[in-house]
């Protein structure tokens, strides 16, 4: 279906202040959407209470309202402007909630404003825990056993019925706030209180916790003709139990067979179609039992999200930009791949590199905060690294964290005894990935680490390879370090500073650099082109790596 | 990190050389170079008979992560001639896996090389086109390899289907089923047979050069013309049999090579593509109902688009959204249709499984 020509002006709702759990990713999606609509000749009116954003630059939209994100603001904007449609899927949960509130007050209807991209029924099905659960049951997709409670007493009753461990998830909240795991009765009371309070409708879901299952996220696009594509599959290195925003994530999925992946793909598509009226970007999360490969649907978000921003950068496919075009009636096969300019936008990106995202926490600045990771997101940002293998990407990500780590090493810090480390890594904290490496350096087995953390052993094997390389490098001085080993280290993401630290003699980063430069071990630049080099790319972006 | 420090080499027919490290069997292998962009399903790809004669580059950078299992195979053995990748993984993680990729390749006598700059290599193949190549982890002398490479036959004009076809007939599915499908095996993938059997068919699979008279003894409700390797224009025997089959006015369904044969049987020429389509993300539009499908593809030959468009009795049903190539055709006067891509997928999306249902609808009418 071609563009809907009855839409001349669109209101985009931003996501407001940057808070933990909702940050600049929505500035990115909002800006992309505004640009995408304007190139179609559509007038864009934008509301966002946060002036410290790109999307509120005067050049991004035809009119920018730096007003509080309230129904009153929306009504005033609609009185001042002729607006045909509102696009609420670009501003995260905040925008969806506001859109729903305004809808319930009848304001959209009064001003003849259409919702595009999504309708209220679809929002409700995805966001209301009970509706979501029922929908999944209706379409034959497994969900964790759960009950919706609207009171403290109800919550306690259901908890007893389902049994520990449990998750308490408040309805309609942001970044998982107010949610938590409950292992026993004393934790339950507190979690119920907190959850009910956090929910704007005083509602929580009491759900069986699938701790230790693997977690995956799929980013999808759907158009008005019901065409669906999977843009990216993201594997969480950390198992279920840690908010995705606080998980180390990897793309493409590293440990999924095609059988397991197609099962996930089929279910994600079925879930997305079952939401009803929805055209745009969508995120689906699954938990997978590592032994049986059975899947449980965790959630579906009918909007662009933190993950879709990551997926856009990870694949090169501009999800928000295309989602905005789909919202105004285009179908995917009518649009071009924005990177190659010659092939179709209806396709599934193929990657010939590995993406690793590592969250960045700032517990130093939140004295007294509980630094254990769980359902509520605590990180304040994230880094994304690209490599031609997992180890390179992981180490590059760790180097970009701007903390004391150099690559995957925390050199110069007192190490714990290995028994203590194994205990320590049982509880997910910000430094777990570094402690896993410490444990492996001390000879703790992969099996022990897998048991302690629930992390898939493939990732631990890879970290073990980093350790093996580090041990080899440590046998040499800069002068005796073999060039093959130096090259191997660079291919596995070791920084020059890191190599300098590991070598027996005290050398500087510059000395390592000089040695490898003289040996011709230098960076090459590869493209992120959506198609793993199958087609020529016109507007790719680049990353550095080592080859040869 | 490479599993072995043993050097290995790739020499292309145009003289370009790429270096890597040994994996799998230590030895030498030759074939036509091609690449697959899929990010899952390496074992299914390696065992797909349509890859016979090919040395395969996997674009995805980690291969072997989830090991191997006899359940994820598309034929009884590995069919690629050789494998080229960036990182091949010996250590794997999957409860269902029965072994590592390395053990598997060794057991199947497959030479592989890893630690190759596959991205640069793919860009080269994309630009220069498909060509023969040689990989070796035992001979590192380029001149020696070049001499060996010169003896490798060109894929253009090469008949390979009868090499991978079954030598004996075999049956699958419920013998009492009223729906009987005679399969002509030019390198059929296991999941195609599974898709037929799952829908209730009694299937008999026949060697490539089986005459119509023998096929008819099965009293088939429909004929299935399989996928397979090599150049379809080098298969006059298959074209002739298919022309006879079409005279029967029974439903006919062809996949990949089967699609090309249906075109040839109607006088439409096929051609060798620049570097083919291989992967799990190829966009196809069904122009009959307007719905799009993400498809699995694996072909180095195509059917001539202009000849199809000008043919009075052939209708285009599916087109490729990237390059407008012909992805599906049907005959106007007979219940015969075919697609260039793989609706059975494995590996790949299930978007196109409906084509098997359509074949069954035709057979039941």
């Amino acid at each position: 279906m071609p563009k809907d020509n009855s839409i001349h002006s669109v209101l985009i709702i931003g996501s407001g202040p940057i808070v933990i759990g909702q940050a600049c990713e929505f500035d990115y999606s909002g800006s992309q959407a505004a640009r995408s609509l304007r190139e179609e000749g559509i007038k864009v009116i934008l509301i966002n209470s946060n002036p410290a954003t790109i999307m509120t630059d005067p050049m991004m939209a035809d009119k920018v309202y730096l007003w509080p994100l309230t129904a009153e603001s929306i009504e005033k904007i609609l009185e001042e402007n002729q607006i045909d449609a509102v696009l609420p899927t670009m501003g995260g949960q905040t925008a969806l909630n506001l859109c729903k509130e305004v809808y319930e007050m009848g304001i959209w209807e009064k001003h003849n404003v259409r919702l595009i991209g999504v309708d209220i029924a679809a929002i409700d099905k995805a966001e209301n825990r009970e509706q979501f659960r029922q929908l999944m049951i209706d379409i034959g997709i497994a969900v964790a056993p759960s009950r919706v409670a609207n009171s403290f007493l109800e919550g306690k009753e259901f908890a007893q019925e389902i049994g520990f461990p449990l998750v308490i998830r408040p309805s309609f909240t942001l970044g998982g706030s107010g949610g938590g795991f409950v292992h026993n009765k004393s934790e339950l009371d507190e979690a119920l209180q907190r959850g009910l309070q956090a929910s704007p409708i005083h509602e929580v879901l009491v759900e069986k916790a699938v701790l230790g299952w693997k977690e995956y996220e799929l980013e999808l696009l759907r158009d008005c003709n019901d065409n669906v594509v999977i843009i990216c599959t993201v594997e969480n290195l950390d198992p279920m139990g840690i908010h995705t925003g606080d998980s180390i994530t990897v793309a493409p999925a590293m440990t999924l067979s095609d059988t397991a992946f197609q099962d996930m793909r089929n279910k994600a598509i079925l879930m997305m179609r079952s939401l009803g009226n929805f055209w745009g970007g969508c995120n689906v999360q699954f938990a997978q039992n590592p032994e049986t490969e059975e899947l449980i649907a965790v959630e579906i978000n009918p909007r662009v999200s933190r993950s879709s921003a990551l997926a856009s950068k990870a694949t090169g496919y501009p999800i928000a930009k295309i989602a905005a075009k789909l919202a105004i009636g285009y179908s995917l096969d009518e649009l071009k791949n924005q990177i190659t300019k010659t092939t179709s936008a209806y396709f599934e990106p193929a990657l010939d590199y590995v993406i690793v995202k590592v969250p960045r926490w700032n517990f130093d600045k939140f004295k007294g905060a509980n630094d254990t990771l769980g359902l509520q997101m605590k990180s304040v940002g994230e880094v994304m690294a690209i490599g031609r293998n997992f180890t390179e990407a992981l180490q590059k990500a760790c180097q970009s964290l701007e903390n004391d780590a150099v690559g995957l090493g925390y050199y110069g810090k007192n190490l714990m005894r290995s028994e203590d480390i194994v205990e320590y890594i049982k509880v997910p904290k910000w430094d777990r990935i570094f402690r896993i490496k410490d444990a492996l350096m001390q000879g703790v087995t992969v099996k022990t680490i897998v048991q302690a953390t629930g992390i898939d052993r493939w990732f631990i094997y890879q970290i073990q390879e980093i350790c093996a390389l580090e041990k080899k490098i440590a046998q040499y001085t800069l002068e005796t370090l073999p060039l093959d080993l130096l090259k191997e280290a660079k291919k596995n993401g070791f920084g020059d500073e890191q190599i300098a630290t590991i070598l027996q003699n005290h050398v500087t980063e510059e000395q390592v650099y000089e040695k490898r430069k003289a040996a011709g071990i230098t960076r090459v630049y590869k493209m992120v082109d959506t198609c793993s080099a199958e087609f020529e790319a016109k507007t790719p972006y680049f990353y550095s790596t080592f080859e040869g | 990190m490479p599993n072995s420090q043993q050097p290995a080499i790739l020499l292309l027919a145009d003289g370009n050389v790429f270096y890597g490290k040994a994996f799998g069997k230590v030895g030498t292998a030759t074939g036509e170079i091609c690449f697959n962009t899929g990010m899952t399903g390496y074992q299914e790809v390696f065992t797909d008979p349509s890859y016979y004669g090919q040395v395969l580059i996997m674009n995805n950078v980690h291969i072997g992560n989830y090991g191997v299992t006899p359940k994820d195979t598309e034929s009884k053995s590995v069919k690629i001639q050789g494998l080229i990748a960036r990182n091949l993984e010996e250590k794997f993680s999957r409860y269902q896996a029965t072994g590592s990729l390395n053990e598997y390749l060794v057991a199947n006598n497959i030479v592989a090389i890893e630690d190759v700059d596959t991205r640069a290599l793919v860009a080269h193949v994309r630009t220069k086109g498909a060509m023969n190549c040689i990989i070796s982890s035992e001979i590192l002398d380029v001149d020696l390899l070049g001499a060996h490479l010169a003896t490798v036959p060109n894929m253009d004009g090469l008949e390979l289907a009868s090499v991978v076809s079954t030598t004996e007939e075999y049956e699958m599915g419920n013998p009492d089923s009223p729906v009987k499908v005679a399969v002509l095996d030019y390198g059929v993938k296991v999941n195609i047979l599974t898709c037929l059997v799952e829908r209730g068919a009694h299937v008999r699979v026949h060697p490539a050069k089986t005459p119509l008279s023998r096929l008819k003894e099965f009293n088939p409700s429909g004929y299935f013309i399989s996928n397979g390797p090599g150049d379809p224009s080098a298969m006059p025997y298959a074209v002739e049999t298919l022309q006879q089959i079409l005279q029967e006015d029974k439903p006919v369904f062809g996949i990949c090579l089967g699609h090309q044969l249906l075109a040839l049987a109607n006088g439409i020429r096929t051609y060798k593509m620049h570097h083919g389509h291989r992967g799990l993300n190829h966009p196809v539009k069904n122009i009959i109902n307007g719905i799009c499908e993400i498809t699995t593809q694996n072909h180095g030959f195509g059917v001539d688009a202009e000849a199809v468009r000008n043919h009075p009795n052939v209708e285009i049903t599916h087109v490729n959204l990237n390059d407008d190539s012909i992805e599906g055709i049907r005959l106007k006067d007979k219940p015969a249709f075919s697609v260039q891509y793989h609706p059975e997928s494995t590996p790949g999306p299930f978007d196109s499984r409906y084509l098997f249902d359509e074949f069954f609808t035709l057979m039941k009418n």
Side-chain angles (χ1 to χ4, degrees):
Chain A
M1 201 188 295
K3 181 186 150 195
D4 179 344
N5 285 318
S6 68
I7 301 170
H8 303 286
S9 55
V10 170
L11 174 68
I12 295 179
I13 308 178
S15 67
I18 288 180
V19 293
I20 291 179
Q22 185 170 285
C24 52
E25 59 266 21
F26 297 112
D27 190 17
Y28 174 72
S29 53
S31 309
Q32 272 201 7
R35 208 176 277 158
S36 178
L37 294 177
R38 290 182 85 196
E39 69 185 28
E40 296 296 331
I42 289 171
K43 191 174 165 190
V44 172
I45 297 98
L46 194 141
I47 176 171
N48 194 358
S49 59
N50 182 359
T53 51
I54 306 292
M55 71 195 286
T56 53
D57 283 0
M59 66 220 283
M60 289 306 301
D62 293 278
K63 212 161 182 186
V64 175
Y65 287 90
L66 282 169
W67 286 2
L69 291 168
T70 60
E72 295 75 57
S73 303
I74 299 281
E75 179 135 48
K76 252 199 222 160
I77 293 172
L78 298 184
E79 280 161 7
E80 284 180 18
N81 299 275
Q82 170 55 44
I83 289 174
D84 299 320
V86 56
L87 180 62
T89 51
M90 299 292 160
Q93 196 61 53
T94 305
L96 276 191
N97 285 355
L98 177 59
C99 176
K100 192 168 139 71
E101 186 190 332
V102 171
Y103 170 84
E104 277 157 5
M105 292 165 76
I107 297 173
W108 301 127
E109 204 185 344
K110 184 174 139 196
H111 291 272
N112 270 324
V113 178
R114 279 194 279 158
L115 253 72
I116 55 170
V118 68
D119 67 9
I120 295 294
I123 298 176
D124 279 347
K125 277 187 214 165
E127 297 292 341
N128 181 298
R129 290 281 169 189
E130 181 52 28
Q131 280 198 40
F132 170 73
R133 197 180 74 90
Q134 197 51 54
L135 178 67
M136 290 305 105
I137 293 168
D138 292 346
I139 62 173
I141 287 179
V143 283
S146 67
R147 298 285 300 267
V148 168
N150 292 97
S151 73
F152 185 75
L153 276 180
E154 237 179 20
K156 289 202 53 133
E157 191 189 320
F158 297 153
Q160 202 164 15
E161 195 181 296
I162 298 167
F164 296 112
L166 291 165
V167 197
I168 308 297
R169 296 180 193 271
S171 291
F172 292 98
T173 65
L174 182 78
S177 69
F181 283 98
V182 173
H183 302 89
N184 53 50
K185 275 189 179 160
S186 61
E187 288 174 359
L188 177 66
D189 291 7
E190 198 204 320
L192 277 176
Q193 297 271 16
R194 192 179 58 225
L196 288 165
Q197 260 170 30
S199 167
I201 57 167
H202 204 69
E203 178 183 291
V204 295
L205 187 78
V206 179
E207 186 184 86
K208 184 86 186 169
V210 284
L211 294 170
W213 285 33
K214 286 158 62 166
E215 188 169 359
Y216 294 92
E217 279 187 271
L218 271 62
E219 295 299 321
L220 299 88
L221 279 173
R222 177 195 187 192
D223 69 19
C224 56
N225 290 347
D226 219 3
N227 293 315
V228 180
V229 286
I230 315 291
I231 301 302
C232 190
T233 309
V234 178
E235 175 162 1
N236 286 14
L237 181 136
D238 296 297
M240 285 293 289
I242 302 173
H243 191 280
T244 2
D246 275 357
S247 292
I248 295 176
T249 59
V250 186
M254 288 288 128
T255 68
L256 270 189
S257 69
D258 188 64
T259 325
F261 171 63
Q262 297 307 333
D263 186 26
M264 213 174 269
R265 187 183 183 278
N266 291 341
K267 285 177 173 155
I269 292 174
L270 182 61
M271 284 165 70
M272 195 181 190
R273 288 185 170 151
S274 73
L275 275 189
N277 212 346
F278 168 67
W279 315 337
C282 170
N283 157 278
V284 182
Q285 291 174 32
F286 290 104
Q288 189 211 44
N289 181 332
E291 287 181 38
T292 59
E293 297 185 351
E294 112 192 55
L295 293 178
I296 276 182
V298 178
E299 62 178 59
I300 182 164
N301 293 301
R303 56 177 172 83
V304 301
S305 60
R306 184 184 323 99
S307 312
S308 52
L310 179 77
S312 293
K313 290 174 198 131
T315 60
Y317 195 110
I319 294 175
K321 183 176 181 178
I322 299 293
K325 303 253 197 251
L326 302 183
I328 55 167
Y330 281 108
S331 60
L332 282 160
D333 55 301
E334 291 171 329
L335 300 167
K336 284 286 174 215
N337 177 333
Q338 303 288 311
I339 305 295
T340 63
K341 306 280 187 192
T342 54
T343 55
S344 177
Y346 174 80
F347 83 113
E348 300 191 344
L351 279 56
D352 59 359
Y353 47 80
V354 179
I355 294 285
V356 174
K357 175 211 88 178
V358 179
R360 176 68 160 95
W361 292 271
N362 237 347
F363 290 113
D364 296 354
K365 290 188 180 165
F366 297 102
K367 295 279 180 242
N370 178 353
D371 66 350
T372 299
L373 306 177
L375 283 186
Q376 184 169 350
M377 186 170 152
K378 293 178 178 178
S379 61
V380 294
E382 61 195 32
V383 300
M384 185 193 97
I386 313 180
R388 288 274 289 162
N389 56 31
F390 171 74
T391 48
E392 182 189 18
L394 176 64
Q395 295 228 75
K396 277 168 90 172
C398 291
Q399 280 146 9
S400 313
L401 284 170
E402 292 185 354
N403 58 18
D404 293 335
V406 186
L408 196 59
Y410 237 74
Y411 304 99
K413 291 260 165 100
N414 283 332
L415 294 179
M416 289 184 267
R417 290 182 311 146
S418 51
E419 308 89 88
D420 295 338
I421 305 183
V422 173
E423 276 312 303
Y424 184 82
I425 59 175
K426 282 182 183 166
V427 182
K429 290 187 190 291
W430 70 272
D431 61 346
R432 181 153 84 169
I433 193 81
F434 301 101
R435 298 302 169 199
I436 288 171
K437 188 234 163 194
D438 289 347
L440 289 166
M441 286 299 282
Q442 293 186 23
V444 176
T445 63
V446 170
K447 194 175 170 190
T448 305
I449 291 171
V450 168
Q451 277 167 355
T453 61
I455 296 173
D456 189 281
R457 66 185 165 142
W458 189 83
F459 296 108
I460 310 297
Y461 287 140
Q462 294 287 318
I463 298 173
Q464 200 177 32
E465 293 197 359
I466 294 176
C467 296
L469 266 176
E470 178 168 335
K471 284 180 179 167
K472 266 195 209 167
I473 298 167
Q475 294 168 8
Y476 298 97
T477 63
L478 183 63
E479 293 68 36
T480 59
L481 181 67
L483 290 177
D484 277 357
L485 182 56
L486 178 56
K487 190 190 273 181
E488 204 48 55
K490 295 307 291 180
K491 282 184 172 177
N492 286 278
F494 282 81
D496 293 342
E497 184 189 357
Q498 192 177 4
I499 295 168
T501 313
I502 298 165
L503 286 169
Q504 280 184 356
N505 54 342
H506 294 285
V507 292
T508 62
E509 182 180 349
E510 286 71 25
Q511 285 172 288
V512 175
Y513 173 69
E514 288 306 328
K515 172 162 176 151
R516 71 170 173 83
K517 202 175 117 188
I521 304 170
T522 51
R523 283 168 207 287
V524 294
Y525 293 85
K526 298 285 186 193
M527 284 180 194
V528 171
D529 64 357
T530 72
C531 60
S532 80
E534 184 173 10
F535 306 103
E536 197 183 331
K538 296 289 194 301
T539 57
Y541 77 95
F542 294 84
Y543 63 96
S544 75
T545 184
F546 291 84
E547 291 280 4
Chain B
M1 202 184 340
N3 298 270
S4 148
Q5 290 307 314
Q6 187 166 343
I9 194 167
L10 156 71
L11 171 66
L12 292 168
D14 67 1
N16 275 285
V17 175
F18 286 77
Y19 295 94
K21 302 273 163 48
F23 194 85
K25 184 194 162 193
V26 171
T28 304
T30 60
E32 187 189 56
I33 198 160
C34 66
F35 60 86
N36 183 306
T37 61
M39 297 187 289
T40 52
Y42 50 84
Q43 197 185 357
E44 293 91 327
V45 168
F46 299 163
T47 53
D48 174 351
S50 293
Y51 279 99
Y52 186 75
Q54 307 278 352
V55 171
L56 177 67
I57 312 162
M58 292 301 276
N59 296 34
N60 184 25
V61 288
H62 283 286
I63 301 292
N65 306 8
Y66 54 85
V68 295
T69 157
K71 284 185 186 154
D72 288 347
T73 52
E74 284 301 316
S75 70
K76 290 197 180 82
S77 62
V78 176
K79 293 296 190 298
I80 53 170
Q81 304 300 115
L83 173 64
I84 303 167
R86 177 56 155 78
N87 312 288
L88 291 168
E89 301 300 329
E90 166 77 56
K91 289 183 174 154
F92 62 93
S93 170
R94 192 185 185 194
Y95 278 80
Q96 285 76 6
T98 52
S100 78
L101 177 63
N102 196 45
E103 293 160 4
Y104 185 67
L105 293 178
V106 170
N108 279 274
N109 279 319
I110 302 297
V111 181
I113 78 173
E114 63 163 331
D115 208 23
V116 174
D117 185 350
T118 47
R119 186 171 169 95
L121 177 59
V122 168
H124 183 76
V125 173
R126 174 190 83 202
T127 316
K128 296 286 160 68
M131 62 184 95
N132 283 341
C133 75
I134 184 165
I135 57 172
S136 184
S137 45
E138 59 184 1
I139 307 165
L140 299 175
D141 181 330
V142 173
D143 292 338
L144 220 59
L145 290 173
H148 191 161
L149 178 57
T151 66
V152 178
N154 195 323
M155 186 61 83
D156 207 352
L158 202 60
E159 197 278 328
L160 295 172
S162 59
V163 184
V164 291
S165 174
T166 181
T167 47
E168 302 289 330
E169 282 177 9
Y170 59 94
E171 294 182 20
M172 288 171 79
N174 174 13
D176 300 327
S177 171
V179 180
K180 296 193 181 291
V181 181
V183 173
L184 270 165
D185 177 13
Y186 301 121
V188 71
K189 284 172 71 185
V190 166
N191 201 49
I192 289 177
L193 302 177
T194 308
C195 285
L196 296 172
V197 169
E198 270 175 2
R199 284 166 179 76
H202 177 208
V203 171
R204 194 165 82 185
V205 185
H206 303 83
K209 293 184 176 167
T210 306
L212 177 65
S213 55
R214 175 60 191 156
L215 299 174
K216 277 173 80 174
E217 284 169 26
F218 186 55
N219 193 21
S221 337
Y223 295 86
F224 179 81
I225 317 300
S226 90
N227 64 296
D231 186 343
S233 67
M235 298 171 69
Y237 67 89
V239 174
E240 196 183 315
T241 309
L242 183 49
Q243 280 168 341
Q244 291 167 3
I245 288 173
L246 290 171
Q247 298 306 317
E248 299 289 305
D249 275 331
K250 291 269 176 68
V252 174
F253 180 23
I255 288 178
C256 201
L257 182 73
H259 164 75
Q260 296 156 6
L261 292 170
L262 184 63
L264 287 169
N266 284 280
I268 295 166
R269 94 181 175 99
T270 57
Y271 66 98
K272 176 102 173 78
M273 297 166 81
H274 185 261
H275 57 270
H277 292 161
R278 291 173 188 88
L280 321 179
N281 65 346
H282 292 268
V284 166
K285 187 170 185 173
N286 178 328
I287 55 176
I288 306 298
N289 65 14
I291 293 175
C292 300
E293 305 157 32
I294 296 291
T295 67
T296 298
Q297 302 211 0
N298 171 22
H299 62 114
F301 292 86
V303 304
D304 187 82
E306 213 189 313
V308 175
R309 290 200 176 92
N310 295 332
H311 198 289
N313 193 37
V314 175
E315 192 180 0
I316 301 172
T317 54
H318 299 78
V319 291
N320 186 304
L321 287 169
N322 281 344
D323 60 9
D324 293 327
S325 59
I326 306 295
E327 294 288 359
I329 55 172
R330 69 182 177 199
L331 301 191
K332 288 180 185 165
D333 67 344
K334 291 186 196 304
F337 70 106
S338 62
V339 286
Q340 180 61 75
Y341 53 96
H342 287 267
E344 82 289 356
S345 51
T346 54
F350 286 35
D351 296 13
S352 316
R353 293 277 165 94
Y354 71 93
L355 290 165
F356 289 98
D357 299 328
E358 291 187 356
F359 183 41
F360 273 68
T361 307
L362 287 179
M363 287 191 291
K364 283 174 183 166
N365 283 345

